[in-house]
């Protein structure tokens, strides 16, 4: 289980000194909770230390400042959704099922009760270059993965494949976030299937090349 998805109560120590790796995981778990609840600007290192049950000096031993801590969390959050996108694409050779699996990956990601997606898709620190770079990495790397499949299967030029891929990633991100906030009356699978059907009806219009 990843540091981001581990329940808070499991990550906190039960007493005694934790190994450095476990302490870092515990601090990240507590920091995620605070950042999701308050946003970057309103979150304080004092709050994170208190949530983790450690002193500020202990927190600073692992992370020199609040931005370093935020970036560590953001990088892990970005890695998580990129990994899920890759796994969805590799889970089948059926392109319709690939679309469904990819949409499911995004809907599952935003509905995770850790709220980690908010660091990626709703960051209040996108004016910070290092943060913006991480956030944009999700679109870029997910689109690269999808574009590769589109290019191989349709024979479309790289530029066209990439544009279609970015459009699909945008559809997945925006629709999943909208569902969570505005359309929660729909079950997650129902919402994901609706969007997947829309995406498939569009991308299926591009015929397979002669090698498929």
């Amino acid at each position: 289980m990843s540091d981001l998805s581990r329940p808070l109560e499991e990550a906190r120590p039960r007493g005694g000194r934790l190994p450095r790796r476990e302490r870092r995981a515990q601090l990240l778990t507590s920091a995620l909770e605070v950042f999701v609840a308050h946003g970057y600007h309103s979150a304080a290192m004092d709050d994170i230390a208190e949530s983790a049950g450690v002193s500020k000096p202990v927190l600073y031993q692992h992370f020199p400042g609040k931005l370093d801590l935020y970036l560590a969390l953001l990088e892990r959050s970005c890695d998580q959704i990129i990994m899920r996108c890759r796994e969805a694409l590799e889970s089948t050779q059926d392109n319709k099922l690939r679309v469904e699996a990819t949409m499911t990956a995004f809907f599952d990601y935003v509905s995770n009760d850790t709220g980690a997606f908010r660091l990626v898709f709703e960051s209040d620190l996108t004016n910070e270059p290092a943060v913006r770079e991480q956030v944009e990495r999700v679109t870029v790397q997910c689109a690269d993965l999808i574009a590769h499949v589109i290019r191989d299967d349709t024979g479309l030029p790289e530029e066209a494949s990439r544009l279609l891929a970015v459009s699909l990633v945008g559809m997945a991100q925006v629709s999943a976030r909208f569902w969570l906030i505005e359309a929660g009356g729909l079950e997650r699978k129902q919402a994901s299937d609706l969007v997947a059907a829309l995406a498939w009806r569009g991308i299926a219009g591009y015929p397979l090349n002669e090698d498929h």
Side-chain angles (χ1 to χ4, degrees):
M1 185 178 293
S2 71
D3 293 333
L4 289 178
S5 60
R6 182 184 300 172
L8 187 60
E9 61 270 16
E10 292 182 12
R12 284 176 175 159
R14 299 179 184 277
R17 188 180 182 87
L18 287 179
R20 182 173 181 81
R21 183 176 179 180
E22 291 183 26
R23 177 67 74 191
R24 179 181 172 88
Q26 175 216 2
L27 295 174
L28 286 171
T29 302
S30 296
L32 176 62
E33 185 179 70
V34 174
F35 281 130
V36 167
H38 303 292
Y40 177 82
H41 294 293
S42 297
M45 293 293 270
D46 285 329
D47 298 330
I48 295 169
E50 181 179 353
S51 176
V54 301
S55 65
K56 280 181 67 177
V58 169
L59 180 57
Y60 281 112
Q61 285 174 9
H62 292 265
F63 302 99
K66 185 167 71 167
L67 180 58
D68 300 281
L69 180 50
Y70 187 85
L71 286 172
L73 275 172
L74 180 61
E75 182 177 9
R76 289 194 175 197
S77 297
C78 292
D79 287 345
Q80 187 179 56
I81 185 56
I82 293 167
M83 177 190 68
R84 291 186 181 191
C85 183
R86 178 182 290 107
E87 290 174 346
L89 293 170
E90 293 175 351
S91 65
T92 178
Q93 294 299 309
D94 185 309
N95 284 332
K96 182 178 181 181
L97 295 179
R98 275 176 169 157
V99 171
E100 292 174 358
T102 302
M103 289 299 167
T104 296
F106 277 89
F107 275 78
D108 286 349
Y109 179 68
V110 302
S111 62
N112 187 291
D113 58 10
T114 66
F117 83 95
R118 298 187 186 280
L119 300 182
V120 182
F121 299 142
E122 298 178 4
S123 175
D124 58 350
L125 197 62
T126 52
N127 61 323
E128 169 64 42
V131 172
R132 187 166 60 249
E133 180 181 350
Q134 286 294 327
V135 172
E136 291 173 354
R137 182 166 68 91
V138 172
T139 299
V140 169
Q141 293 192 14
C142 288
D144 284 347
L145 293 168
I146 296 170
H148 179 76
V149 174
I150 294 173
R151 187 170 60 250
D152 284 355
D153 285 0
T154 66
L156 286 171
E158 182 177 350
E159 295 80 2
S161 298
R162 186 169 176 77
L163 178 59
L164 290 173
V166 170
S167 299
L168 289 172
V169 172
M171 178 186 293
Q173 290 182 12
V174 173
S175 61
R177 289 164 57 202
F178 178 83
W179 163 76
L180 186 68
I181 298 168
E182 302 288 345
L186 293 173
E187 294 293 331
R188 178 174 55 189
K189 186 178 187 309
Q190 181 184 7
S192 177
D193 287 349
L194 280 171
V195 179
L198 175 62
W200 174 245
R201 286 169 187 161
I203 200 67
Y206 296 90
L208 297 177
N209 62 31
E210 294 180 355
D211 296 330
H212 290 266

